[in-house]
Amino acid sequence: MSDRLDGEKSETVAWRTPRWLRGPRPESVPTLIGTAGVVVGLLNLAAGMFPRFRHSRMHALAEVLPGAVSPLAAAASIVVGILLLLLAHGLKRRKRRAWVAAVALLPVGIAAQLVYRHSIIGAVLSLLLLVFLVWHRSEFAALPDPRSRWKAVANFIVLGGVSFAIGMVIVSAHPHKIVGSPSFWDKAQHVLWGMFGFEGPVGYTHKVDYTVGYSLGALGLLTVATTAYLAFRPEHPVARLTADDEQRLRELLAKHGGRDSLGYFALRHDKGAVFSPTGKAAVCYRVISGVMLASGDPIGDVEAWPGAIERFMEEARAHSWTPAVTGCSETGGQVWTRETGMDALELGDEAIVDVPDFTLSGRAMRNVRQMVKRIERNGYETRVRRVRDLEPAELARIQRAADAWRDTDTERGFSMALGRIDAVTDGDAVIATAHLAPAEGEADGPFGDLKAMQHYVPWGTDGISLELMRRDRDADPGMNELLIVASLQAAPDLKIKRVSLNFAVFRSSLERGEKLGAGPVIRIWRGTLVFLSRWYQIESLYKFNDKFQPRWEPRFVVFRNSRDIPRIGLATLQAEGYLELGLPRMLRRRRGTEPQPCAHTAEEAPPAVEKVA
């Protein structure tokens, strides 16, 4: 025992002074270069697009940019401008490949200055910037983000549209040198033909057609080249749970899984895991839009948490990701903030029902009791079993029903959704089903007499956590109340002492705001939450949970800076499936082998995966 404690203590003490907390790093260098990239990119773009710009008072400022006098220089200016705009964000995030691309572009700019503009000053300034980048090359060490080749399709659509818009500006930027009065359609055809390297229907005088032609050709070449690069570059897949990682996490959950109701959700296959040096703790995460988002508390021994958190932060820094944690407990929030210096904000409360204290008696449970009795009188019966006890045919029928009853095209869930019902890997999970025998003369439905189901994942050895609620649209209202009550009543036979229900976001604000004497600020905030509940079911989820008289456990979100909160919120919405930033539906590739996060489709209660909204 002493060896174990000494080992964990050394791991914890070694992390008391993290490398990134010993002193501020010069983050201003990448930020400055990224901002300069935006400015220089816009100036290059303007210099190539607008002929008057090159002869205006800003001509002196344009001297530091690659040349924009000859047709080739104008085309080069446009290409370099677009590329610098595309690279600016990567430079701010210290991406190594963005730095390499910027360094590769500068010699081209220097050559353009000397060959086309004969500008010694511009060449010297470009050379100084190149030296500056090389001198600070250690600042640009971030590894690439997860990616797939489908970004090539998005690049072709987006950059192609931008190139077409810029081409329309270029074609129209010489009104006094256009032959005749071409229509909008003629100009559009000229842009399209020009991007493919052919001459269009619009004519120019004073050799302007060479400038326009080279510029349009450069836009088309840039679109094709970047699309080809994205299509043929090696893939960097998103984080996935390997078989070895899953086995190690299951061993940790077997020893420490009873501490956090969210622990079992770490076994989602679309999450990655980083382990402490001793392997006694792990942090599970997913990377979305540059945010390294962890969910719940670290898995494993609390004494080993700091080591896993250190590895998590090192991984975030290596890729220049924004670290964040959503849905952690109060203990987890304290460890995260103490070890990393980040801040925490209360996100909401988790509803937990203690089975020995649950009863349908009393005035407080009157509505639930009456609804359950009414449904039972209509002929419904319930069954609550471990998943491993289901027959294969019945399990397959439940799986098909759960998929068919999903009310959205988008799968939802991340923090509190497992995304599968499997008797082999998750045999200890609990399934609650509602059944209604068909009336005489009526045929069975597509799923037999099955009308609703709920799926609970293990929470240690004596608890379960609600993961999925689905119901037939034709079933009577109140199916969720019926199955939750049935699960709680069957819990003692399954040796279950506690049940985690839904997560109610900003519950304490809703509760305080409706009390007598609440201040104006909390009343305004509650009113805002009630208004947003029209779309995001904030208040209704809280009211639904409160029916079962649970105890409320606060959950927190941990973030590095206040300015990161909007970005973290956006990433969380994407992770939970409430916001999609991807290809149009017709262009998406169906991936049958990937995990399918589940979502609830209850009419009388919001999705259970909204434990973390």
Side-chain angles (χ1 to χ4, degrees):
M1 177 66 70
S2 60
D3 294 339
R4 172 189 177 278
L5 293 178
D6 290 342
E8 298 298 347
K9 182 177 179 181
S10 63
E11 178 183 347
T12 303
V13 172
W15 215 85
R16 292 300 182 185
T17 53
R19 185 167 58 252
W20 52 86
L21 293 178
R22 295 174 187 170
R25 295 181 61 87
E27 300 290 346
S28 58
V29 173
T31 302
L32 178 62
I33 293 178
T35 303
V38 173
V39 175
V40 172
L42 291 175
L43 290 176
N44 271 276
L45 201 58
M49 291 170 56
F50 304 104
R52 295 182 180 179
F53 171 80
R54 296 192 294 270
H55 303 285
S56 64
R57 295 180 180 179
M58 297 188 68
H59 179 68
L61 182 59
E63 286 292 333
V64 300
L65 307 175
V69 176
S70 69
L72 286 176
S77 181
I78 293 174
V79 171
V80 171
I82 294 177
L83 289 176
L84 288 176
L85 291 176
L86 295 176
L87 293 172
H89 183 64
L91 291 173
K92 288 183 178 181
R93 295 182 59 202
R94 304 183 295 107
K95 292 297 183 180
R96 183 69 178 180
R97 292 193 175 183
W99 176 87
V100 171
V103 170
L105 281 175
L106 281 174
V108 177
I110 294 173
Q113 292 285 355
L114 295 176
V115 174
Y116 298 116
R117 302 193 62 167
H118 310 289
S119 174
I120 302 299
I121 297 178
V124 170
L125 291 177
S126 298
L127 181 61
L128 290 176
L129 180 57
L130 177 62
V131 172
F132 183 78
L133 282 172
V134 173
W135 181 264
H136 291 280
R137 61 184 179 277
S138 60
E139 293 297 321
F140 300 88
L143 300 176
D145 289 340
R147 62 180 184 237
S148 69
R149 292 190 176 94
W150 279 96
K151 289 188 176 181
V153 179
N155 178 84
F156 181 78
I157 296 173
V158 175
L159 187 57
V162 172
S163 298
F164 178 80
I166 294 175
M168 290 296 293
V169 175
I170 293 173
V171 170
S172 304
H174 309 271
H176 302 295
K177 298 179 182 179
I178 297 179
V179 178
S181 300
S183 63
F184 177 84
W185 175 241
D186 291 333
K187 294 180 180 179
Q189 290 185 76
H190 193 85
V191 172
L192 292 175
W193 284 111
M195 291 176 64
F196 285 97
F198 300 101
E199 187 176 352
V202 181
Y204 296 89
T205 61
H206 298 86
K207 297 184 180 181
V208 174
D209 51 343
Y210 288 102
T211 302
V212 174
Y214 280 123
S215 300
L216 296 178
L219 289 173
L221 180 61
L222 177 64
T223 302
V224 172
T226 54
T227 301
Y229 167 74
L230 293 173
F232 294 105
R233 66 177 178 171
E235 289 195 36
H236 282 238
V238 296
R240 286 291 185 269
L241 201 65
T242 65
D244 180 62
D245 289 342
E246 182 175 355
Q247 180 60 34
R248 296 173 66 184
L249 288 175
R250 289 186 181 275
E251 293 175 358
L252 294 178
L253 289 172
K255 297 179 181 178
H256 310 282
R259 206 206 60 79
D260 186 12
S261 63
L262 275 64
Y264 201 85
F265 298 113
L267 299 178
R268 282 178 61 102
H269 290 162
D270 60 352
K271 289 183 178 180
V274 289
F275 291 83
S276 65
T278 61
K280 296 180 179 180
V283 175
C284 296
Y285 68 93
R286 184 178 171 187
V287 179
I288 301 176
S289 300
V291 177
M292 191 176 183
L293 189 64
S295 59
D297 293 343
I299 308 299
D301 192 344
V302 177
E303 293 295 328
W305 283 7
I309 293 174
E310 176 187 12
R311 291 288 179 85
F312 176 87
M313 298 298 291
E314 288 178 349
E315 188 77 4
R317 179 169 179 79
H319 293 268
S320 192
W321 292 330
T322 300
V325 186
T326 179
C328 65
S329 67
E330 187 170 4
T331 300
Q334 289 175 349
V335 176
W336 275 101
T337 55
R338 183 184 71 239
E339 300 297 333
T340 65
M342 295 196 292
D343 293 326
L345 180 68
E346 184 173 341
L347 185 61
D349 297 88
E350 178 186 7
I352 299 176
V353 179
D354 294 314
V355 174
D357 300 332
F358 177 77
T359 178
L360 282 177
S361 304
R363 184 176 181 83
M365 298 297 296
R366 178 182 178 183
N367 291 335
V368 176
R369 182 173 62 251
Q370 290 178 345
M371 178 172 289
V372 170
K373 294 298 182 184
R374 176 181 58 81
I375 296 175
E376 290 177 344
R377 286 195 300 268
N378 291 341
Y380 286 88
E381 66 173 21
T382 58
R383 303 169 192 169
V384 181
R385 295 153 290 175
R386 296 283 184 181
V387 174
R388 62 171 176 265
D389 297 330
L390 294 173
E391 294 294 333
E394 184 179 6
L395 177 59
R397 184 168 63 252
I398 292 175
Q399 292 170 334
R400 293 196 307 270
D403 184 66
W405 291 341
R406 188 178 69 245
D407 64 345
T408 59
D409 293 333
T410 304
E411 292 281 5
R412 291 179 178 174
F414 167 68
S415 300
M416 296 183 178
L418 185 62
R420 64 179 182 267
I421 303 175
D422 194 333
V424 177
T425 60
D426 310 303
D428 289 335
V430 173
I431 282 283
T433 56
H435 304 264
L436 178 64
E440 186 177 353
E442 293 183 0
D444 287 341
F447 310 108
D449 61 353
L450 182 65
K451 296 299 179 182
M453 57 82 62
Q454 290 181 357
H455 185 228
Y456 298 80
V457 299
W459 174 12
T461 58
D462 61 352
I464 53 177
S465 182
L466 178 60
E467 187 262 339
L468 175 68
M469 294 192 297
R470 294 279 168 81
R471 61 184 290 270
D472 190 338
R473 293 178 181 271
D474 296 329
D476 292 354
M479 288 292 104
N480 287 328
E481 287 89 340
L482 174 68
L483 289 179
I484 289 177
V485 170
S487 300
L488 291 170
Q489 291 176 338
D493 295 334
L494 298 175
K495 298 181 180 180
I496 294 172
K497 299 180 180 179
R498 49 187 179 169
V499 178
S500 171
L501 299 179
N502 299 310
F503 177 86
V505 65
F506 300 127
R507 182 205 66 87
S508 59
S509 300
L510 291 170
E511 183 182 46
R512 291 196 302 266
E514 62 183 1
K515 288 184 177 180
L516 182 66
V521 176
I522 191 63
R523 286 182 180 272
I524 293 174
W525 176 230
R526 180 183 180 278
T528 303
L529 294 176
V530 172
F531 175 75
L532 293 176
S533 296
R534 299 179 181 181
W535 298 276
Y536 294 103
Q537 300 177 328
I538 299 174
E539 185 184 30
S540 59
L541 186 59
Y542 158 54
K543 296 295 186 182
F544 175 80
N545 292 330
D546 202 46
K547 293 179 182 180
F548 304 96
Q549 302 298 304
R551 58 182 171 90
W552 297 98
E553 294 290 339
R555 291 281 176 174
F556 299 84
V557 57
V558 180
F559 53 93
R560 186 172 53 186
N561 298 306
S562 298
R563 63 176 179 269
D564 293 333
I565 292 179
R567 187 177 181 184
I568 294 171
L570 181 66
T572 303
L573 289 175
Q574 291 180 255
E576 296 292 348
Y578 292 100
L579 179 65
E580 276 195 285
L581 298 178
L583 297 176
R585 184 184 306 175
M586 64 183 69
L587 296 176
R588 295 176 197 158
R589 178 174 55 182
R590 299 184 65 88
R591 302 185 181 185
T593 59
E594 290 191 357
Q596 297 296 319
C598 297
H600 303 269
T601 59
E603 179 178 308
E604 63 275 19
V609 293
E610 289 185 10
K611 288 180 179 179
V612 176

